[in-house]
Amino acid sequence: MLSHVTTPQDLDDRFRETLAALPAAGRRRDPADPVSDDAPLTGAQVLDLFDAQVTSRQLDLAGRWLRGFGEGFYTIGSAGHEGNAAVAAALRPTDPALLHYRSGAFYCVRAAQAAADPASTADPQPPGSVPPGSVPPGSVPPGSVPPGSGPPGSVPPDPERPTERQSDRPAERLTERLTDPGRPIDPEQLTDSEPTDLEPAGSEPPTGGFAPYADAARDVLRGMVASRQEPIAGGRHKVFGRADLAIVPTTSTIASHLPRAVGMGLAVERLRRLDSVGRRTGVGVRVGSGAGAAAAPWPPDAIVVCSFGDASVNHASATAAFNTAGWYDHAGLRIPVLFVCEDNGLGISVRSPEGWVEATLGSRPGIRYFSADGADPVRTYAVAAEAAAWVRRNRRPAVLHLRTVRLMGHAGADAESAYRGAAELAEDLDRDPVAATARLLVDAGVASGEELLARYDETGWQVRRLAEEVLGEPKLASAADVVSALAPRRPVRVARAVADAAARAGGPGAGARAEAFGGKPPELAGPMTLAQSINAALADGMLDHPQMAIFGEDVAAKGGVYGVTKGLRDRFGAARVFDTLLDETSVLGLGLGAGLAGMLPVPEIQYLAYLHNAEDQLRGEAATMQFFSRGAFRNPMVVRVAGLAYQEGFGGHFHNDNSVAVLRDVPGLVVAVPARPDDAAPMLRTCLASAAVDGSVCVFVEPIALYHTRDLYADGDGGWLAGYPEPGAWVSGHVPIGRARVYGVGSADDLTIITFGNGVRMSLRAAAVLAEEGVGTRVVDLRWLAPLPVADIIRESSATGRVLVVDETRRSGGVGEGVIAALVDAGYVGAARRVAGVDSFVPLGPAARHVLVSAEAITDGARTLLAR
């Protein structure tokens, strides 16, 4: 009896009833023939899709079973969405995919495809169509990874490999026609021959069953029980993703992965064009930097597939992704992305208005619209193959609107009775995609209902057996285990990378460097401002990292609002230095995708205040990538942000933002704030090297008010200028992540001022005043806000026993809180005081002085501290 919530028992009972009621077919159809007269799939292929769908369904049931006795920790399932198995079958196993959390059947098919032929770039064959003599997918050791596999670029597919066709049978050739990127699809030529009834009634259907999907099932179950042996996230989360399957893990539920997909598409196409040029010249494209550069991670004609739910089309991240894809398409740049919207009509309990999803997806400029019913596997396959072929051939974005249902609610704790009635639930059960595939197989004479039920039960038994096996596997046992994959820090390798860059710049690359700088390298240009030093370091970075790209609003033709990127487009070309549309989410999404594809992106966010529009791209996407893939995937990136306050004559809270708390709170994120020109260049080199070596995500906050500052104490003294070091001095001037800089003023024995950014210049001016009063000060420039240079903080504070923390951010949630906490944690027993910005937005004009730190306030704070 159907209850007011679709329980696992309801779903299982209804499926069994459906199969038991199916009439016996009059005659058997040869499984090698098309499943119907005009079908692009054979009976055997549809049967394999059924097995993938059943595996996904049984995994959902197992998830509820595990949760029932406290051993399962994730119950969002794929029931009702199993039509995405046909979408996976229509793609190549080397097409990178970003999947939402109802993608169990897709994942099963992709795992079987990759196991059958891990390196193939040929047009897809549905799972189970294994070439004679090949290793059966089920024989791959559980959880194994093909030798040498790893992150994109480590073992690249060979685009030159001869294409392997799995059969010359008509139905197989038909599949080839559907997915041939160079041939248009004619719906009237969807069959080469009529089906024939070659087998008598009662003969056995083709074998296959659970074996091709066993490894995928084990992966998913390990995720459910948080096993540390789970090959994706190592027990940190239940995600669909594996490097050897070209599936990028994503934990996002509301489309925050879509901007990354657009960035991946842009990068894939850029690398494809570079690869084409390389082949014509006999030089293959390389991704990365220096001698260790890797080959492009995906085949040149790969497309990116990205799936999401219908409620997500309303999210700002999705809107940004669609708009960016369409914007670039309108501008003539190609982005080969296939968006797949799986529309079950609900976002937890909120319904999508009838027709809204179709209307909003179908009206996106620059994005081709396709639609299919997920309960019809043949039609879904045909449309998905057509959409994939269109994207692959035209290198342009498209969306597949796949209608689905949601069975068993949003998750285990979802009480559907609060917002859905029994009649509606029954209607969804009638559209069960697994039952629909079963009906197709029985109607076609490929299998009987009894035989399909036997396969269902066998798969259920196998899944339950695997679930019991993984229950005993170890869990993450300590905080160190949990964070081990978060953000690797290998300072020795980073320092070596800087040294290697210096050797190349001063040796074999010296000629190209001199040419890039117009015959006058920056070390010969005389003292530089902060902006000029960053510009020169960016140019040196572009010379050393062939796949580095600089992009953002106004960075190319204009050279940035403050001229920091001036001249870089002329030196390195519009393909490597380019303007983007005005949307920070998309700017970061492009960077995320480009980094994942093997590039070294350096996006610019024009003002710190604008970063807050898009900070989830850093928190939810960038910082989590290595954490949820155990380092198998990484998105190296250095985000340049013009920030902080003290601009004269150009104020207001959007252009004088001092809020960095959201950055310091992101685990694993590196936050750098260079104050002086002679720190900016080495710190930027460190960030680039760390991104290239460790896959780090760095935010390089550049103090706007110091960009063009020249003087320190008096007009004309040039005290804030510095020369640019020649390559031979890069090693001795290397600035490791998390190391501070100390300035001694006078005896430097009486007071320690800890600060950063604009606070460095103000503190040095205050220290000069104090020196005239006989007070010796050491000014500590943190330089790195995450991770904080704790060892330097403790050492320099203990040296004087008096600490003044000068924090130009806010008193609440500011950097100063972290410094004081570090002192307390270390057992510091001296005196301490803070001078910090007021908990306020920065107002316009002279009023800003009332809420920001000043040199006078620093001097007064120091005197108060010294008087204790």
Side-chain angles (χ1 to χ4, degrees):
M1 184 69 180
L2 186 67
S3 66
H4 280 215
V5 58
T6 314
T7 66
Q9 189 65 47
D10 290 331
L11 194 57
D12 183 67
D13 288 347
R14 176 62 72 92
F15 185 75
R16 290 175 175 279
E17 292 170 3
T18 298
L19 264 60
L22 293 175
R27 299 183 65 186
R28 285 285 192 184
R29 182 186 298 269
D30 182 353
D33 286 339
V35 73
S36 62
D37 292 351
D38 60 349
L41 296 173
T42 66
Q45 291 167 341
V46 175
L47 189 62
D48 287 325
L49 290 178
F50 173 80
D51 288 331
Q53 292 177 325
V54 165
T55 300
S56 178
R57 178 64 55 84
Q58 291 289 5
L59 286 169
D60 286 353
L61 299 178
R64 301 300 178 96
W65 172 69
L66 289 165
R67 182 69 184 90
F69 55 91
E71 291 289 351
F73 308 103
Y74 197 91
T75 55
I76 297 178
S78 305
H81 285 244
E82 293 91 349
N84 56 36
V87 177
L91 295 162
R92 296 177 182 172
T94 50
D95 288 331
L98 298 92
L99 305 178
H100 71 145
Y101 49 36
R102 301 195 190 277
S103 302
F106 186 111
Y107 186 76
C108 288
V109 171
R110 174 61 67 89
Q113 287 174 326
D117 192 0
S120 174
T121 60
D123 291 335
Q125 299 295 329
S129 301
V130 183
S134 65
V135 179
S139 66
V140 179
S144 67
V145 178
S149 66
S154 58
V155 181
D158 184 3
E160 293 294 299
R161 173 180 174 152
T163 298
E164 295 181 4
R165 295 299 182 192
Q166 299 184 3
S167 174
D168 285 327
R169 293 181 299 203
E172 307 287 343
R173 294 198 303 272
L174 181 61
T175 304
E176 294 167 13
R177 181 184 303 122
L178 261 174
T179 55
D180 186 343
R183 184 178 306 159
I185 296 173
D186 183 354
E188 296 184 0
Q189 296 180 2
L190 288 178
T191 183
D192 285 357
S193 62
E194 294 296 321
T196 56
D197 298 324
L198 300 178
E199 295 184 335
S203 65
E204 291 298 319
T207 59
F210 178 68
Y213 313 108
D215 288 347
R218 186 180 279 103
D219 289 350
V220 174
L221 289 166
R222 281 174 163 162
M224 290 177 179
V225 302
S227 165
R228 69 179 302 162
Q229 293 179 228
E230 182 253 353
I232 309 162
R236 293 169 182 82
H237 207 282
K238 188 263 187 184
V239 292
F240 292 114
R242 260 175 55 184
D244 57 310
L245 304 184
I247 298 179
V248 180
T250 174
T251 62
S252 62
T253 60
I254 48 174
S256 65
H257 57 303
L258 269 66
R260 180 199 294 276
V262 175
M264 288 173 66
L266 190 66
V268 164
E269 182 63 9
R270 179 180 182 273
L271 294 174
R272 184 184 75 86
R273 292 175 181 272
L274 287 177
D275 185 63
S276 175
V277 172
R279 290 183 190 284
R280 289 197 298 271
T281 60
V283 178
V285 64
R286 308 298 286 175
V287 176
S289 63
W298 297 299
D301 63 344
I303 68 173
V304 179
V305 61
C306 180
S307 63
F308 53 98
D310 56 288
S312 294
V313 302
N314 306 300
H315 195 271
S317 297
T319 300
F322 298 144
N323 184 71
T324 302
W327 189 87
Y328 276 115
D329 186 80
H330 186 79
L333 295 176
R334 297 310 181 209
I335 298 185
V337 175
L338 176 61
F339 299 104
V340 180
C341 177
E342 298 186 16
D343 180 5
N344 62 31
L346 289 163
I348 304 184
S349 66
V350 178
R351 302 175 191 276
S352 294
E354 186 67 31
W356 168 249
V357 177
E358 180 178 2
T360 191
L361 293 179
S363 61
R364 295 287 178 183
I367 301 178
R368 178 80 173 265
Y369 177 81
F370 296 86
S371 66
D373 183 353
D376 183 345
V378 172
R379 179 62 183 163
T380 295
Y381 176 84
V383 174
E386 181 184 3
W390 188 88
V391 174
R392 199 180 309 279
R393 181 172 61 248
N394 295 288
R395 318 306 294 169
R396 297 177 63 189
V399 61
L400 170 60
H401 181 196
L402 187 66
R403 292 171 180 81
T404 64
V405 293
R406 191 187 72 189
L407 305 176
M408 293 197 296
H410 174 71
D414 181 23
E416 286 186 288
S417 57
Y419 57 90
R420 303 187 80 189
E424 182 182 351
L425 295 173
E427 289 177 3
D428 277 0
L429 280 168
D430 288 340
R431 295 188 59 232
D432 182 345
V434 186
T437 304
R439 291 190 193 96
L440 173 63
L441 289 166
V442 171
D443 291 345
V446 176
S448 68
E450 182 179 355
E451 291 162 346
L452 296 178
L453 184 57
R455 298 172 88 95
Y456 175 79
D457 285 337
E458 171 65 17
T459 296
W461 181 85
Q462 294 284 2
V463 168
R464 183 68 63 90
R465 177 182 61 81
L466 287 178
E468 292 174 350
E469 286 181 8
V470 303
L471 276 176
E473 293 180 350
K475 307 293 192 295
L476 294 168
S478 67
D481 283 349
V482 173
V483 303
S484 62
L486 178 61
R489 293 281 181 266
R490 294 177 289 187
V492 174
R493 293 192 183 186
V494 170
R496 187 182 304 130
V498 171
D500 291 344
R504 287 189 292 269
R513 184 170 183 264
E515 182 180 355
F517 283 106
K520 188 177 182 180
E523 56 267 26
L524 301 180
M528 289 186 171
T529 63
L530 180 71
Q532 291 169 332
S533 182
I534 293 172
N535 178 279
L538 286 171
D540 270 325
M542 294 286 277
L543 289 166
D544 191 59
H545 299 273
Q547 291 306 315
M548 178 174 158
I550 298 171
F551 51 90
E553 301 160 18
D554 301 304
V555 303
K558 183 178 176 63
V561 174
Y562 296 95
V564 181
T565 56
K566 185 177 181 180
L568 295 179
R569 187 185 68 168
D570 294 337
R571 292 180 191 172
F572 300 103
R576 298 187 65 194
V577 182
F578 56 92
D579 291 323
T580 65
L581 72 174
L582 196 157
D583 177 59
E584 286 72 29
T585 295
S586 296
V587 172
L588 293 178
L590 293 175
L592 289 169
L596 197 64
M599 297 174 62
L600 181 54
V602 183
E604 179 188 286
I605 301 298
Q606 199 165 82
Y607 288 102
L608 179 59
Y610 300 167
L611 178 66
H612 306 311
N613 301 331
E615 58 200 23
D616 185 54
Q617 291 296 299
L618 290 177
R619 185 268 174 203
E621 291 292 316
T624 62
M625 179 52 65
Q626 296 199 77
F627 184 74
F628 288 125
S629 70
R630 299 193 299 175
F633 287 100
R634 41 185 243 169
N635 40 227
M637 185 163 63
V638 179
V639 184
R640 294 182 46 253
V641 184
L644 304 177
Y646 299 98
Q647 287 193 84
E648 293 292 336
F650 187 44
H653 73 105
F654 268 117
H655 302 102
N656 284 276
D657 184 39
N658 58 355
S659 177
V660 298
V662 69
L663 295 173
R664 294 187 60 248
D665 186 54
V666 178
L669 198 69
V670 174
V671 182
V673 182
R676 290 181 55 90
D678 47 348
D679 276 334
M683 288 174 69
L684 183 54
R685 273 192 290 274
T686 297
C687 287
L688 292 172
S690 182
V693 170
D694 291 329
S696 301
V697 180
C698 304
V699 179
F700 201 74
V701 181
E702 301 165 4
I704 299 172
L706 299 178
Y707 268 148
H708 306 298
T709 296
R710 306 178 67 86
D711 306 321
L712 174 54
Y713 300 114
D715 291 346
D717 67 10
W720 210 251
L721 300 174
Y724 189 87
E726 62 179 355
W730 292 0
V731 174
S732 61
H734 173 57
V735 178
I737 290 174
R739 292 303 307 272
R741 178 175 181 175
V742 182
Y743 301 84
V745 181
S747 67
D749 292 334
D750 302 311
L751 173 69
T752 299
I753 299 178
I754 299 177
T755 188
F756 64 95
N758 294 285
V760 178
R761 183 169 180 268
M762 290 187 291
S763 294
L764 287 172
R765 292 166 69 95
V769 173
L770 293 170
E772 293 176 356
E773 301 172 6
V775 177
T777 305
R778 55 186 67 199
V779 176
V780 180
D781 179 2
L782 294 171
R783 298 195 291 196
W784 307 92
L785 304 188
L788 280 172
V790 174
D792 296 330
I793 290 171
I794 303 306
R795 184 188 65 251
E796 299 302 324
S797 299
S798 301
T800 64
R802 297 185 184 90
V803 176
L804 181 67
V805 180
V806 176
D807 180 5
E808 65 175 290
T809 61
R810 299 164 190 172
R811 179 165 292 274
S812 299
V815 177
E817 288 185 346
V819 174
I820 296 295
L823 290 170
V824 172
D825 289 345
Y828 172 75
V829 294
R833 182 179 177 85
R834 277 195 299 163
V835 176
V838 175
D839 290 343
S840 169
F841 299 107
V842 180
L844 194 64
R849 299 169 188 162
H850 299 304
V851 299
L852 296 175
V853 173
S854 66
E856 292 74 20
I858 297 171
T859 305
D860 290 343
R863 289 170 178 150
T864 301
L865 184 62
L866 291 164
R868 289 184 178 179

